[in-house]
Amino acid sequence: MSKNSTAEIRQKFLNFFHSKGHQIVASSSLVPDNDQTLLFTNAGMNQFKNVFLGLDKRTYHSATTVQRCVRAGGKHNDLEQVGYTARHHTFFEMLGNFSFGEYFKHDAIWLAWELLTGVQWFNLPKNKLWVTVYATDDEAYNIWSNEINMPRERIVRISNNKGSTHASDNFWQMGDIGPCGPCSEIFYDHGDHLCGGPPGSQEEYGDRYIEIWNLVFVEFDRQADGTMLQLPKPSVDTGMGLERLAAVLQHVNSNYDIDLFRYLITTAAEITGANHLCSKSLQVIADHIRSCAFLISDGVVPSQDGRGYVLRHIIRRAIRHGYMLGARETFFYKLVAPLIEVMGSAADQLKLQQNMVERVLRTEEEQFAQTLERGLSLLENALAKLPCDTLDGETAFRLYDTYGFPLYLTVDVCRERKIQVDEEGFKRAMEEQRKRAREANYFSMDYNSMLRVDQWTNFLGYEHMTHPGRVTALFCDNQLVEVINNSKKAIVILDETPFYGKSGGQVGDSGELNAATGIFEVVDTQQYGQSFGHLGTLRYGELKIGDQVTAHVDQARRDRIRLNHSATHLLHSALRKVLGEDVMQRGSQVNDQYLRFDFSHNQAILPEQIRRVEEMVNQQIRRNLIINTEIMALETARNKGVISVFGEKYESQVRVLSIGDFSTELCCGTHASRTGDIGLFWISSESGIAAGIRRIEAVTGEVALARLHQQSDLVQNISYLLKINSRKLVEKVRELHDRAKQLEKKLQQIKSQLAVTVLSRKIRYINGVQVIVSELNHLEPKILRIIVEDMKNQLGSVVIILANVSKDQVNLIVGVTDDLTHRIKARDIIGTLTQQIGGKGGGNPEIAHAGGCDAAALPAALYRIEQMLAEIL
Ligand code: SER
């Protein structure tokens, strides 16, 4: 590791906080875990949000992370700026330390100071550092001033400079709701050769004073109505952009000049053939490959909405910049390998998924090339119909929004034709679209509608289906209540329960809670932090906090779920054995009816491979293997090579589920005791759900048997209908199919003979040449061609023009026998006709077609063509 490389800085940061007793925690996925309020993980504290709120507890009280973050498409970043400024990124790594009630302002400030200025750490010159504090935060001010001895002229108080209470650069909030608090930011002065003033001054936006570290003193939980609830324990959340710190330590001003970006930029230049390393387009590409590759490896796939839409937008922006640099073939995916190389240990997970990520990017790029082609032809159409010399903004925007056709290309094409583009109209359409998106506000569920439950529930459902428990909390309409009455929908929290709360793809249990005073019917069970909530309705009587209940899980349903869960593990293993080790779980759903398993795999799966997987799973069922669980340290499990699922959070002690010698996985779900319990496994469907991601659905046990019965009933019914033994069914269906085809052919012949007879009566002679011009109705285009060929054969020398009208659509066909083609050509007749009645057509001198013509204009056009023939022949 070379000195002050980004790799070294990353490691040094973690080492420092580890030496101060912090737990090193892995970066969480870019897709926030069970959090609909966030588009992408955008700060190190996201994975600890529930810990700050007191909804979740960890075994450690302070932590440190290097968190991959994406800020794009949400409120934190404007994509169009990325690449053109020195410090905007879609993807960055955030170095952070966190205290969950262990230490607060004093230690947070001292730790930051020691790491930044300590000789054996980053050793930054103290006189280059400035700090800001929230205007009213005297405590932070005094620590900086009296303890750290920061000169007062370099401590700036920042008030609510964003227009309302708590709207300040020095009051950090994750979103409109959730944990927040005043913060203190540390700035680095890059030197007077650069423009810009200190924080808080008029010139603060220059390049000289750059914020490097934000220390947030998390004290409040902001509610949707703006009120600030005090958190149970004041905590600390800090975030320092790795790229900014690297710029400081490597003595460069722009993030794009640090070692990591220089490498990506040079490689991007080689791959695209760009000549100038200083091109902003190279910066765009170097930035975008990071967000795109990591988003895909974290499970996002390009799509038309939500997270996938933002990803698609970033990919397309990178590709367009590649085209501007002169790239002529797919190039973007080629940057995945250099990215993995330069990110080192931060790309361990990406490395395992390299093939899949490259494939998704490549497919997207190929599709985009086609989209551009489609966009161009649409633009051509729009221009052909243009009544004036300006293309309206709506059309330009539709091309952009629906077909990903960039405005600058529309402008370029129009410029060549001396046509203006209404760019103001384009902006208006764009603004309206943004407004609609804001109103739909896809990612803004009220986080506080989540229940605030302090209790812990002891889950006993691995061993018990029925167990006593005490009601510790009751919720109605998201409000904590003391008692619920008859027919009330509610959520019941118990101190102990055998009900499984939905997690790891397995649905929650249903059943009944029986109290002396009433019965509560449970339809679902969910986990809220460390407690289990039983969702359902009180069937009679009343239930209150403190009541004793007997909780009965619906055993038959749970049994079906267990079989599906164990079968999912067998399926996962079988897939890896049949298709290869690159198969990775990308999601699963296990309920009492079926199981669904999504996984990465780069190719379509052959029917015989599906059959092999199905057979292999059934073989393990017949071996009646023991299904065993063991609790062990996460590290031990990893060392044993146990399969874990990317993006899942695991505690330090984990449950390892092994099925004989066939499968070992981390899993918290409930399972069968032996594989024989599964009885039967049947794959009901296999399909691709996105580039590189496939989905299998399957059923087990009695549901599988019922499906097989359905299939065999189907066969029986068809056999009965066809009056044939089922063994001969395929033969019979083939015979019927062939017969239907023959009859269809015969029918065509008859129709065509009929038409020939009718048309023979319509022969006219123009200057001695036989000519037929006729309108027919409701014939298939295939028959038209047969008719024309038949007439040509029968008459030897003829010009035949047929128009077939069905609904308002007209198909034209023109035939000319080759003895006449030196006088008139079929292709020219079609050309003349389409000039008059629209549509598209083409062909050769002997035969030509056109379609999509205007029916109303047909009679006049046919009349004129006869006149034209009279002149030519
Ligand atoms: N959450 C704060 C930020 O993102 C500090 O980590 O700036």
Side-chain angles (χ1 to χ4, degrees):
M1 248 187 263
S2 64
K3 188 160 160 45
N4 285 338
S5 63
T6 42
E8 192 200 49
I9 298 169
R10 210 185 268 125
Q11 199 51 52
K12 213 179 223 182
F13 183 90
L14 293 177
N15 292 350
F16 174 80
F17 281 102
H18 188 54
S19 74
K20 304 286 179 188
H22 290 59
Q23 170 87 25
I24 298 179
V25 177
S27 166
S28 64
S29 164
L30 284 171
V31 178
D33 183 37
N34 286 335
D35 189 345
Q36 285 301 312
T37 62
L38 254 193
L39 186 58
F40 299 119
T41 297
N42 64 4
M45 56 78 68
N46 294 164
Q47 65 168 314
F48 303 117
K49 175 170 157 179
N50 282 348
V51 188
F52 288 123
L53 291 174
L55 291 170
D56 191 2
K57 293 193 172 60
R58 299 287 162 93
T59 49
Y60 44 83
H61 300 294
S62 57
T64 180
T65 61
V66 178
Q67 175 66 49
R68 45 184 186 276
C69 297
V70 163
R71 291 188 181 174
K75 67 186 225 175
H76 279 292
N77 212 351
D78 184 354
L79 184 61
E80 297 310 315
Q81 288 185 34
V82 176
Y84 289 91
T85 65
R87 275 167 287 277
H88 277 95
H89 298 293
T90 53
F91 175 99
F92 64 98
E93 290 176 86
M94 189 181 269
L95 309 169
N97 59 292
F98 309 89
S99 148
F100 312 114
E102 188 173 79
Y103 59 83
F104 198 45
K105 289 185 199 182
H106 178 271
D107 288 3
I109 290 174
W110 269 108
L111 284 168
W113 189 248
E114 185 185 343
L115 175 60
L116 288 182
T117 61
V119 199
Q120 75 276 39
W121 299 107
F122 292 134
N123 195 21
L124 290 181
K126 293 179 180 156
N127 60 358
K128 290 277 211 170
L129 297 173
W130 286 62
V131 294
T132 58
V133 295
Y134 189 48
T136 53
D137 191 352
D138 292 335
E139 189 186 349
Y141 188 96
N142 289 334
I143 298 170
W144 283 116
S145 169
N146 303 341
E147 299 186 27
I148 304 277
N149 285 329
M150 175 75 81
R152 285 178 177 240
E153 59 277 14
R154 284 197 272 123
I155 311 174
V156 186
R157 287 183 191 260
I158 303 283
S159 55
N160 293 325
N161 57 355
K162 290 180 170 173
S164 61
T165 320
H166 295 132
S168 163
D169 283 330
N170 278 63
F171 195 93
W172 200 86
Q173 346 203 9
M174 179 180 140
D176 297 335
I177 45 187
C180 57
C183 57
S184 183
E185 296 183 327
I186 305 175
F187 285 70
Y188 183 80
D189 176 0
H190 275 262
D192 57 10
H193 60 292
L194 292 164
C195 296
S201 68
Q202 293 281 340
E203 305 77 36
E204 66 176 357
Y205 295 106
D207 273 341
R208 180 169 166 186
Y209 297 87
I210 301 301
E211 180 218 323
I212 51 171
W213 203 346
N214 185 12
L215 317 180
V216 185
F217 311 121
V218 191
E219 283 179 76
F220 307 107
D221 174 12
R222 189 189 158 106
Q223 308 294 292
D225 64 3
T227 45
M228 297 283 185
L229 293 184
Q230 197 76 37
L231 282 180
K233 291 179 190 159
S235 298
V236 170
D237 147 35
T238 86
M240 173 153 62
L242 170 64
E243 300 76 6
R244 287 182 180 208
L245 180 61
V248 168
L249 292 169
Q250 294 174 18
H251 309 293
V252 293
N253 185 251
S254 165
N255 289 2
Y256 289 102
D257 287 330
I258 65 173
D259 57 338
L260 186 150
F261 274 114
R262 285 329 298 164
Y263 180 72
L264 286 176
I265 286 171
T266 321
T267 320
E270 277 163 22
I271 290 173
T272 56
N275 298 324
H276 301 293
L277 283 182
C278 54
S279 160
K280 297 285 184 208
S281 289
L282 285 171
Q283 297 191 172
V284 171
I285 293 169
D287 171 274
H288 288 10
I289 189 62
R290 301 212 304 161
S291 49
C292 295
F294 281 99
L295 280 172
I296 296 169
S297 110
D298 276 342
V300 183
V301 276
S303 68
Q304 282 304 85
D305 49 29
R307 299 186 169 110
Y309 177 77
V310 180
L311 169 63
R312 171 164 286 167
H313 204 74
I314 306 176
I315 297 176
R316 290 184 169 186
R317 185 164 185 260
I319 296 169
R320 288 204 312 263
H321 279 273
Y323 290 170
M324 276 163 31
L325 290 170
R328 287 292 162 260
E329 49 187 46
T330 46
F331 71 94
F332 196 42
Y333 77 96
K334 294 183 187 159
L335 285 165
V336 177
L339 174 68
I340 290 172
E341 192 185 326
V342 73
M343 296 279 293
S345 61
D348 282 351
Q349 173 182 325
L350 175 60
K351 194 171 178 178
L352 288 171
Q353 310 203 66
Q354 179 176 350
N355 286 345
M356 186 275 292
V357 173
E358 286 174 343
R359 194 178 165 86
V360 171
L361 283 176
R362 192 178 181 157
T363 310
E364 186 63 16
E365 194 165 351
E366 284 162 2
Q367 278 171 4
F368 185 47
Q370 286 165 11
T371 303
L372 278 180
E373 222 168 88
R374 265 207 313 277
L376 260 179
S377 96
L378 256 146
L379 180 58
E380 291 291 351
N381 268 345
L383 293 181
K385 289 191 195 136
L386 210 60
C388 57
D389 59 2
T390 303
L391 181 75
D392 60 287
E394 278 285 333
T395 306
F397 180 69
R398 194 159 53 86
L399 280 164
Y400 166 80
D401 194 43
T402 316
Y403 301 95
F405 205 66
L407 180 66
Y408 70 83
L409 261 185
T410 308
V411 173
D412 267 5
V413 175
C414 289
R415 196 180 296 125
E416 284 164 20
R417 323 269 169 100
K418 305 209 169 15
I419 290 172
Q420 308 272 332
V421 178
D422 174 10
E423 295 194 32
E424 282 307 311
F426 176 91
K427 282 186 200 145
R428 270 198 308 278
M430 167 97 92
E431 196 35 54
E432 270 161 35
Q433 159 82 342
R434 283 194 176 145
K435 210 166 120 215
R436 280 195 298 274
R438 273 198 300 272
E439 277 159 13
N441 218 351
Y442 188 59
F443 286 96
S444 147
M445 217 172 73
D446 184 350
Y447 191 77
N448 295 305
S449 67
M450 254 193 75
L451 301 178
R452 249 139 239 297
V453 193
D454 298 329
Q455 285 81 8
W456 287 56
T457 302
N458 194 12
F459 174 61
L460 301 164
Y462 294 127
E463 300 89 19
H464 302 277
M465 289 291 111
T466 294
H467 202 271
R470 193 172 53 81
V471 178
T472 54
L474 284 169
F475 293 90
C476 261
D477 302 326
N478 292 327
Q479 301 294 324
L480 184 65
V481 293
E482 280 295 315
V483 57
I484 52 169
N485 299 317
N486 194 5
S487 307
K488 256 303 185 208
K489 278 202 162 79
I491 300 175
V492 181
I493 313 285
L494 299 179
D495 62 346
E496 301 202 316
T497 186
F499 281 67
Y500 183 81
K502 180 179 173 211
S503 77
Q506 182 178 328
V507 290
D509 276 334
S510 59
E512 258 179 26
L513 308 180
N514 292 350
T517 50
I519 291 185
F520 186 84
E521 184 188 335
V522 181
V523 291
D524 189 13
T525 310
Q526 299 274 343
Q527 295 188 26
Y528 303 99
Q530 301 294 332
S531 60
F532 284 48
H534 306 75
L535 286 66
T537 310
L538 189 68
R539 282 297 162 217
Y540 77 84
E542 66 166 34
L543 192 66
K544 51 183 189 316
I545 295 183
D547 279 354
Q548 282 294 334
V549 298
T550 309
H552 298 277
V553 174
D554 176 343
Q555 177 139 12
R557 180 169 175 270
R558 163 76 86 80
D559 282 345
R560 289 196 296 272
I561 297 171
R562 290 193 313 162
L563 304 190
N564 282 340
H565 205 154
S566 300
T568 306
H569 285 225
L570 291 178
L571 171 65
H572 189 181
S573 243
L575 282 169
R576 287 169 72 93
K577 290 187 187 1
V578 173
L579 302 178
E581 297 284 304
D582 74 322
V583 166
M584 299 264 179
Q585 176 168 349
R586 304 306 297 242
S588 79
Q589 196 185 338
V590 177
N591 61 34
D592 61 326
Q593 291 303 313
Y594 72 103
L595 63 100
R596 195 174 82 194
F597 188 74
D598 298 342
F599 57 101
S600 51
H601 183 60
N602 289 337
Q603 289 141 27
I605 304 180
L606 305 171
E608 53 268 29
Q609 289 175 315
I610 291 289
R611 192 45 78 81
R612 278 232 309 283
V613 168
E614 199 174 59
E615 277 169 4
M616 197 178 273
V617 172
N618 279 300
Q619 234 165 42
Q620 307 316 310
I621 293 173
R622 289 192 301 275
R623 284 174 71 204
N624 202 16
L625 300 168
I626 291 179
I627 302 179
N628 194 30
T629 37
E630 208 184 330
I631 310 290
M632 61 177 80
L634 180 59
E635 264 327 291
T636 320
R638 290 234 160 100
N639 293 341
K640 284 185 170 185
V642 176
I643 299 179
S644 54
V645 179
F646 284 134
E648 289 273 315
K649 275 203 314 240
Y650 294 105
E651 299 295 331
S652 49
Q653 290 289 310
V654 289
R655 290 184 98 232
V656 177
L657 188 111
S658 32
I659 307 186
D661 53 359
F662 193 71
S663 145
T664 320
E665 281 188 50
L666 296 186
C667 183
C668 286
T670 58
H671 285 269
S673 331
R674 300 188 76 122
T675 55
D677 301 347
I678 300 170
L680 182 63
F681 172 82
W682 188 63
I683 294 180
S684 51
S685 76
E686 190 281 324
S687 58
I689 53 166
I693 314 278
R694 312 216 50 99
R695 168 171 292 175
I696 283 185
E697 290 181 346
V699 286
T700 62
E702 61 194 70
V703 181
L705 197 62
R707 286 288 186 93
L708 289 185
H709 285 158
Q710 260 174 20
Q711 296 287 318
S712 89
D713 288 352
L714 194 71
V715 172
Q716 289 303 324
N717 289 343
I718 299 173
S719 311
Y720 179 76
L721 218 79
L722 299 179
K723 299 187 177 42
I724 191 97
N725 186 308
S726 60
R727 271 179 286 116
K728 298 197 175 142
L729 200 56
V730 174
E731 218 173 289
K732 180 75 181 173
V733 170
R734 191 174 297 128
E735 190 189 307
L736 287 174
H737 181 252
D738 290 350
R739 192 159 163 65
K741 268 185 143 175
Q742 273 168 13
L743 289 174
E744 201 180 308
K745 211 163 163 193
K746 208 159 212 130
L747 188 68
Q748 278 181 10
Q749 274 168 5
I750 294 170
K751 276 189 188 172
S752 131
Q753 274 162 14
L754 209 67
V756 167
T757 317
V758 172
L759 291 175
S760 306
R761 289 195 214 114
K762 294 199 170 179
I763 298 172
R764 292 182 44 216
Y765 289 85
I766 299 179
N767 299 334
V769 176
Q770 300 187 95
V771 175
I772 301 173
V773 179
S774 183
E775 225 184 286
L776 303 165
N777 289 317
H778 307 302
L779 289 177
E780 296 100 68
K782 216 163 42 182
I783 299 187
L784 282 184
R785 191 178 173 120
I786 297 172
I787 295 171
V788 170
E789 296 297 354
D790 280 358
M791 295 298 294
K792 278 165 77 177
N793 284 340
Q794 202 169 315
L795 299 172
S797 174
V798 68
V799 173
I800 174 164
I801 301 169
L802 300 181
N804 179 53
V805 185
S806 61
K807 300 207 179 103
D808 276 344
Q809 283 293 313
V810 180
N811 285 311
L812 293 172
I813 182 159
V814 177
V816 176
T817 43
D818 53 8
D819 61 316
L820 297 173
T821 49
H822 65 285
R823 292 162 76 181
I824 182 116
K825 298 185 173 43
R827 186 177 54 211
D828 297 342
I829 299 178
I830 278 285
T832 312
L833 281 168
T834 51
Q835 265 172 23
Q836 296 171 41
I837 59 175
K840 275 197 167 157
N844 58 39
E846 284 108 38
I847 192 130
H849 304 258
C853 318
D854 175 10
L858 184 65
L862 291 180
Y863 174 73
R864 274 202 293 276
I865 204 83
E866 284 187 47
Q867 285 182 325
M868 188 190 94
L869 290 177
E871 283 163 24
I872 294 176
L873 293 173

